[in-house]
PDB file of all heavy atoms in Angstrom:
ATOM      1  N   THR E 633      -3.954  56.376  58.207  1.00 97.00           N
ATOM      2  CA  THR E 633      -3.375  56.079  56.893  1.00 97.00           C
ATOM      3  C   THR E 633      -3.686  57.183  55.893  1.00 97.00           C
ATOM      4  O   THR E 633      -2.791  57.665  55.175  1.00 97.00           O
ATOM      5  CB  THR E 633      -3.924  54.739  56.368  1.00 97.00           C
ATOM      6  OG1 THR E 633      -3.524  53.690  57.232  1.00 97.00           O
ATOM      7  CG2 THR E 633      -3.404  54.452  54.962  1.00 97.00           C
ATOM      8  N   GLU E 634      -4.951  57.596  55.844  1.00 98.00           N
ATOM      9  CA  GLU E 634      -5.367  58.553  54.824  1.00 98.00           C
ATOM     10  C   GLU E 634      -4.794  59.940  55.060  1.00 98.00           C
ATOM     11  O   GLU E 634      -4.438  60.639  54.107  1.00 98.00           O
ATOM     12  CB  GLU E 634      -6.898  58.606  54.763  1.00 98.00           C
ATOM     13  CG  GLU E 634      -7.562  57.319  54.292  1.00 98.00           C
ATOM     14  CD  GLU E 634      -7.053  56.855  52.948  1.00 98.00           C
ATOM     15  OE1 GLU E 634      -7.043  57.650  51.995  1.00 98.00           O
ATOM     16  OE2 GLU E 634      -6.623  55.683  52.849  1.00 98.00           O
ATOM     17  N   ILE E 635      -4.690  60.354  56.318  1.00 98.00           N
ATOM     18  CA  ILE E 635      -4.167  61.714  56.550  1.00 98.00           C
ATOM     19  C   ILE E 635      -2.679  61.776  56.224  1.00 98.00           C
ATOM     20  O   ILE E 635      -2.169  62.805  55.788  1.00 98.00           O
ATOM     21  CB  ILE E 635      -4.462  62.183  57.991  1.00 98.00           C
ATOM     22  CG1 ILE E 635      -4.474  63.714  58.014  1.00 98.00           C
ATOM     23  CG2 ILE E 635      -3.454  61.609  59.008  1.00 98.00           C
ATOM     24  CD1 ILE E 635      -5.190  64.315  59.186  1.00 98.00           C
ATOM     25  N   ARG E 636      -1.983  60.675  56.389  1.00 97.00           N
ATOM     26  CA  ARG E 636      -0.558  60.642  56.040  1.00 97.00           C
ATOM     27  C   ARG E 636      -0.358  60.559  54.536  1.00 97.00           C
ATOM     28  O   ARG E 636       0.720  60.890  54.041  1.00 97.00           O
ATOM     29  CB  ARG E 636       0.123  59.457  56.731  1.00 97.00           C
ATOM     30  CG  ARG E 636       0.191  59.616  58.245  1.00 97.00           C
ATOM     31  CD  ARG E 636       0.547  58.336  58.960  1.00 97.00           C
ATOM     32  NE  ARG E 636       0.484  58.516  60.404  1.00 97.00           N
ATOM     33  CZ  ARG E 636       0.481  57.529  61.294  1.00 97.00           C
ATOM     34  NH1 ARG E 636       0.539  56.262  60.870  1.00 97.00           N
ATOM     35  NH2 ARG E 636       0.417  57.782  62.577  1.00 97.00           N
ATOM     36  N   ARG E 637      -1.382  60.128  53.821  1.00 97.00           N
ATOM     37  CA  ARG E 637      -1.338  60.099  52.349  1.00 97.00           C
ATOM     38  C   ARG E 637      -1.922  61.371  51.751  1.00 97.00           C
ATOM     39  O   ARG E 637      -2.168  61.452  50.560  1.00 97.00           O
ATOM     40  CB  ARG E 637      -2.126  58.887  51.843  1.00 97.00           C
ATOM     41  CG  ARG E 637      -1.404  57.581  52.056  1.00 97.00           C
ATOM     42  CD  ARG E 637      -2.321  56.358  52.136  1.00 97.00           C
ATOM     43  NE  ARG E 637      -3.448  56.333  51.258  1.00 97.00           N
ATOM     44  CZ  ARG E 637      -3.589  55.533  50.190  1.00 97.00           C
ATOM     45  NH1 ARG E 637      -2.614  54.712  49.866  1.00 97.00           N
ATOM     46  NH2 ARG E 637      -4.671  55.543  49.482  1.00 97.00           N
ATOM     47  N   LEU E 638      -2.172  62.368  52.636  1.00 97.00           N
ATOM     48  CA  LEU E 638      -2.718  63.673  52.234  1.00 97.00           C
ATOM     49  C   LEU E 638      -4.121  63.556  51.644  1.00 97.00           C
ATOM     50  O   LEU E 638      -4.576  64.437  50.902  1.00 97.00           O
ATOM     51  CB  LEU E 638      -1.799  64.384  51.225  1.00 97.00           C
ATOM     52  CG  LEU E 638      -0.302  64.410  51.535  1.00 97.00           C
ATOM     53  CD1 LEU E 638       0.434  65.274  50.507  1.00 97.00           C
ATOM     54  CD2 LEU E 638      -0.017  64.887  52.941  1.00 97.00           C
ATOM     55  N   ALA E 639      -4.821  62.478  51.976  1.00 98.00           N
ATOM     56  CA  ALA E 639      -6.176  62.255  51.443  1.00 98.00           C
ATOM     57  C   ALA E 639      -7.187  62.898  52.397  1.00 98.00           C
ATOM     58  O   ALA E 639      -7.918  62.215  53.119  1.00 98.00           O
ATOM     59  CB  ALA E 639      -6.429  60.769  51.269  1.00 98.00           C
ATOM     60  N   TYR E 640      -7.225  64.209  52.386  1.00 98.00           N
ATOM     61  CA  TYR E 640      -8.042  64.942  53.351  1.00 98.00           C
ATOM     62  C   TYR E 640      -9.538  64.676  53.153  1.00 98.00           C
ATOM     63  O   TYR E 640     -10.294  64.585  54.121  1.00 98.00           O
ATOM     64  CB  TYR E 640      -7.748  66.442  53.247  1.00 98.00           C
ATOM     65  CG  TYR E 640      -6.293  66.789  53.453  1.00 98.00           C
ATOM     66  CD1 TYR E 640      -5.572  67.488  52.480  1.00 98.00           C
ATOM     67  CD2 TYR E 640      -5.623  66.407  54.614  1.00 98.00           C
ATOM     68  CE1 TYR E 640      -4.236  67.807  52.666  1.00 98.00           C
ATOM     69  CE2 TYR E 640      -4.272  66.713  54.803  1.00 98.00           C
ATOM     70  CZ  TYR E 640      -3.584  67.412  53.829  1.00 98.00           C
ATOM     71  OH  TYR E 640      -2.255  67.714  54.014  1.00 98.00           O
ATOM     72  N   ASN E 641      -9.978  64.557  51.927  1.00 98.00           N
ATOM     73  CA  ASN E 641     -11.400  64.268  51.675  1.00 98.00           C
ATOM     74  C   ASN E 641     -11.788  62.915  52.250  1.00 98.00           C
ATOM     75  O   ASN E 641     -12.872  62.748  52.808  1.00 98.00           O
ATOM     76  CB  ASN E 641     -11.689  64.284  50.169  1.00 98.00           C
ATOM     77  CG  ASN E 641     -11.700  65.690  49.610  1.00 98.00           C
ATOM     78  OD1 ASN E 641     -11.275  66.629  50.266  1.00 98.00           O
ATOM     79  ND2 ASN E 641     -12.203  65.835  48.397  1.00 98.00           N
ATOM     80  N   ASN E 642     -10.893  61.942  52.120  1.00 98.00           N
ATOM     81  CA  ASN E 642     -11.169  60.619  52.664  1.00 98.00           C
ATOM     82  C   ASN E 642     -11.292  60.662  54.183  1.00 98.00           C
ATOM     83  O   ASN E 642     -12.132  59.978  54.771  1.00 98.00           O
ATOM     84  CB  ASN E 642     -10.077  59.633  52.253  1.00 98.00           C
ATOM     85  CG  ASN E 642     -10.104  59.320  50.761  1.00 98.00           C
ATOM     86  OD1 ASN E 642     -11.002  59.749  50.044  1.00 98.00           O
ATOM     87  ND2 ASN E 642      -9.127  58.564  50.300  1.00 98.00           N
ATOM     88  N   CYS E 643     -10.467  61.474  54.818  1.00 98.00           N
ATOM     89  CA  CYS E 643     -10.549  61.635  56.272  1.00 98.00           C
ATOM     90  C   CYS E 643     -11.884  62.245  56.671  1.00 98.00           C
ATOM     91  O   CYS E 643     -12.494  61.854  57.672  1.00 98.00           O
ATOM     92  CB  CYS E 643      -9.404  62.509  56.770  1.00 98.00           C
ATOM     93  SG  CYS E 643      -7.775  61.751  56.583  1.00 98.00           S
ATOM     94  N   ASP E 644     -12.320  63.223  55.897  1.00 98.00           N
ATOM     95  CA  ASP E 644     -13.631  63.838  56.147  1.00 98.00           C
ATOM     96  C   ASP E 644     -14.738  62.786  56.121  1.00 98.00           C
ATOM     97  O   ASP E 644     -15.632  62.782  56.966  1.00 98.00           O
ATOM     98  CB  ASP E 644     -13.910  64.887  55.064  1.00 98.00           C
ATOM     99  CG  ASP E 644     -13.991  66.288  55.647  1.00 98.00           C
ATOM    100  OD1 ASP E 644     -14.148  66.416  56.877  1.00 98.00           O
ATOM    101  OD2 ASP E 644     -13.906  67.252  54.872  1.00 98.00           O
ATOM    102  N   LEU E 645     -14.688  61.910  55.116  1.00 98.00           N
ATOM    103  CA  LEU E 645     -15.723  60.884  54.979  1.00 98.00           C
ATOM    104  C   LEU E 645     -15.708  59.916  56.157  1.00 98.00           C
ATOM    105  O   LEU E 645     -16.770  59.488  56.638  1.00 98.00           O
ATOM    106  CB  LEU E 645     -15.525  60.130  53.660  1.00 98.00           C
ATOM    107  CG  LEU E 645     -15.859  60.922  52.388  1.00 98.00           C
ATOM    108  CD1 LEU E 645     -15.307  60.218  51.151  1.00 98.00           C
ATOM    109  CD2 LEU E 645     -17.361  61.127  52.263  1.00 98.00           C
ATOM    110  N   LEU E 646     -14.540  59.563  56.643  1.00 98.00           N
ATOM    111  CA  LEU E 646     -14.451  58.668  57.797  1.00 98.00           C
ATOM    112  C   LEU E 646     -15.065  59.302  59.038  1.00 98.00           C
ATOM    113  O   LEU E 646     -15.797  58.648  59.804  1.00 98.00           O
ATOM    114  CB  LEU E 646     -12.989  58.300  58.058  1.00 98.00           C
ATOM    115  CG  LEU E 646     -12.343  57.335  57.063  1.00 98.00           C
ATOM    116  CD1 LEU E 646     -10.828  57.387  57.159  1.00 98.00           C
ATOM    117  CD2 LEU E 646     -12.832  55.903  57.301  1.00 98.00           C
ATOM    118  N   LEU E 647     -14.805  60.580  59.240  1.00 98.00           N
ATOM    119  CA  LEU E 647     -15.370  61.268  60.401  1.00 98.00           C
ATOM    120  C   LEU E 647     -16.872  61.486  60.231  1.00 98.00           C
ATOM    121  O   LEU E 647     -17.622  61.436  61.212  1.00 98.00           O
ATOM    122  CB  LEU E 647     -14.647  62.593  60.618  1.00 98.00           C
ATOM    123  CG  LEU E 647     -13.159  62.466  60.972  1.00 98.00           C
ATOM    124  CD1 LEU E 647     -12.530  63.842  61.144  1.00 98.00           C
ATOM    125  CD2 LEU E 647     -12.967  61.636  62.237  1.00 98.00           C
ATOM    126  N   ASP E 648     -17.304  61.707  58.999  1.00 98.00           N
ATOM    127  CA  ASP E 648     -18.752  61.795  58.735  1.00 98.00           C
ATOM    128  C   ASP E 648     -19.449  60.521  59.185  1.00 98.00           C
ATOM    129  O   ASP E 648     -20.555  60.565  59.738  1.00 98.00           O
ATOM    130  CB  ASP E 648     -19.013  62.004  57.241  1.00 98.00           C
ATOM    131  CG  ASP E 648     -18.678  63.412  56.774  1.00 98.00           C
ATOM    132  OD1 ASP E 648     -18.451  64.281  57.620  1.00 98.00           O
ATOM    133  OD2 ASP E 648     -18.627  63.616  55.541  1.00 98.00           O
ATOM    134  N   ALA E 649     -18.812  59.369  58.913  1.00 98.00           N
ATOM    135  CA  ALA E 649     -19.421  58.078  59.266  1.00 98.00           C
ATOM    136  C   ALA E 649     -19.691  57.993  60.763  1.00 98.00           C
ATOM    137  O   ALA E 649     -20.780  57.604  61.202  1.00 98.00           O
ATOM    138  CB  ALA E 649     -18.504  56.938  58.819  1.00 98.00           C
ATOM    139  N   VAL E 650     -18.693  58.381  61.575  1.00 98.00           N
ATOM    140  CA  VAL E 650     -18.847  58.301  63.028  1.00 98.00           C
ATOM    141  C   VAL E 650     -19.827  59.358  63.522  1.00 98.00           C
ATOM    142  O   VAL E 650     -20.698  59.089  64.361  1.00 98.00           O
ATOM    143  CB  VAL E 650     -17.483  58.467  63.724  1.00 98.00           C
ATOM    144  CG1 VAL E 650     -17.638  58.317  65.235  1.00 98.00           C
ATOM    145  CG2 VAL E 650     -16.483  57.448  63.196  1.00 98.00           C
ATOM    146  N   GLU E 651     -19.704  60.560  62.997  1.00 98.00           N
ATOM    147  CA  GLU E 651     -20.547  61.682  63.443  1.00 98.00           C
ATOM    148  C   GLU E 651     -22.024  61.412  63.171  1.00 98.00           C
ATOM    149  O   GLU E 651     -22.882  61.655  64.017  1.00 98.00           O
ATOM    150  CB  GLU E 651     -20.109  62.955  62.728  1.00 98.00           C
ATOM    151  CG  GLU E 651     -20.459  64.227  63.469  1.00 98.00           C
ATOM    152  CD  GLU E 651     -19.706  65.410  62.895  1.00 98.00           C
ATOM    153  OE1 GLU E 651     -19.832  65.652  61.666  1.00 98.00           O
ATOM    154  OE2 GLU E 651     -18.990  66.087  63.654  1.00 98.00           O
ATOM    155  N   GLU E 652     -22.317  60.859  62.010  1.00 97.00           N
ATOM    156  CA  GLU E 652     -23.711  60.609  61.660  1.00 97.00           C
ATOM    157  C   GLU E 652     -24.265  59.389  62.388  1.00 97.00           C
ATOM    158  O   GLU E 652     -25.458  59.331  62.675  1.00 97.00           O
ATOM    159  CB  GLU E 652     -23.849  60.486  60.144  1.00 97.00           C
ATOM    160  CG  GLU E 652     -23.574  61.822  59.459  1.00 97.00           C
ATOM    161  CD  GLU E 652     -23.708  61.775  57.955  1.00 97.00           C
ATOM    162  OE1 GLU E 652     -24.449  60.900  57.448  1.00 97.00           O
ATOM    163  OE2 GLU E 652     -23.070  62.603  57.287  1.00 97.00           O
ATOM    164  N   PHE E 653     -23.395  58.435  62.710  1.00 98.00           N
ATOM    165  CA  PHE E 653     -23.845  57.346  63.578  1.00 98.00           C
ATOM    166  C   PHE E 653     -24.219  57.892  64.947  1.00 98.00           C
ATOM    167  O   PHE E 653     -25.260  57.536  65.520  1.00 98.00           O
ATOM    168  CB  PHE E 653     -22.741  56.298  63.716  1.00 98.00           C
ATOM    169  CG  PHE E 653     -22.957  55.335  64.845  1.00 98.00           C
ATOM    170  CD1 PHE E 653     -23.935  54.355  64.769  1.00 98.00           C
ATOM    171  CD2 PHE E 653     -22.198  55.423  66.014  1.00 98.00           C
ATOM    172  CE1 PHE E 653     -24.158  53.468  65.827  1.00 98.00           C
ATOM    173  CE2 PHE E 653     -22.410  54.547  67.068  1.00 98.00           C
ATOM    174  CZ  PHE E 653     -23.391  53.573  66.975  1.00 98.00           C
ATOM    175  N   CYS E 654     -23.402  58.781  65.471  1.00 98.00           N
ATOM    176  CA  CYS E 654     -23.647  59.344  66.799  1.00 98.00           C
ATOM    177  C   CYS E 654     -24.920  60.179  66.849  1.00 98.00           C
ATOM    178  O   CYS E 654     -25.503  60.373  67.919  1.00 98.00           O
ATOM    179  CB  CYS E 654     -22.463  60.201  67.239  1.00 98.00           C
ATOM    180  SG  CYS E 654     -20.963  59.249  67.606  1.00 98.00           S
ATOM    181  N   ALA E 655     -25.372  60.692  65.708  1.00 97.00           N
ATOM    182  CA  ALA E 655     -26.580  61.517  65.666  1.00 97.00           C
ATOM    183  C   ALA E 655     -27.845  60.698  65.906  1.00 97.00           C
ATOM    184  O   ALA E 655     -28.920  61.262  66.142  1.00 97.00           O
ATOM    185  CB  ALA E 655     -26.672  62.252  64.343  1.00 97.00           C
ATOM    186  N   GLY E 656     -27.738  59.360  65.836  1.00 97.00           N
ATOM    187  CA  GLY E 656     -28.885  58.505  66.124  1.00 97.00           C
ATOM    188  C   GLY E 656     -29.650  58.083  64.892  1.00 97.00           C
ATOM    189  O   GLY E 656     -29.344  58.489  63.766  1.00 97.00           O
ATOM    190  N   PRO E 657     -30.696  57.259  65.099  1.00 97.00           N
ATOM    191  CA  PRO E 657     -31.387  56.595  63.984  1.00 97.00           C
ATOM    192  C   PRO E 657     -32.496  57.398  63.323  1.00 97.00           C
ATOM    193  O   PRO E 657     -33.125  56.887  62.397  1.00 97.00           O
ATOM    194  CB  PRO E 657     -31.967  55.352  64.663  1.00 97.00           C
ATOM    195  CG  PRO E 657     -32.249  55.795  66.064  1.00 97.00           C
ATOM    196  CD  PRO E 657     -31.173  56.775  66.416  1.00 97.00           C
TER     197      PRO E 657
END
Side-chain angles (χ1 to χ4, degrees):
T633 297
E634 294 304 308
I635 204 160
R636 292 166 185 166
R637 286 155 38 109
L638 314 186
Y640 303 123
N641 286 13
N642 291 354
C643 293
D644 245 343
L645 289 166
L646 287 162
L647 296 179
D648 286 349
V650 183
E651 204 166 56
E652 292 181 25
F653 165 72
C654 290

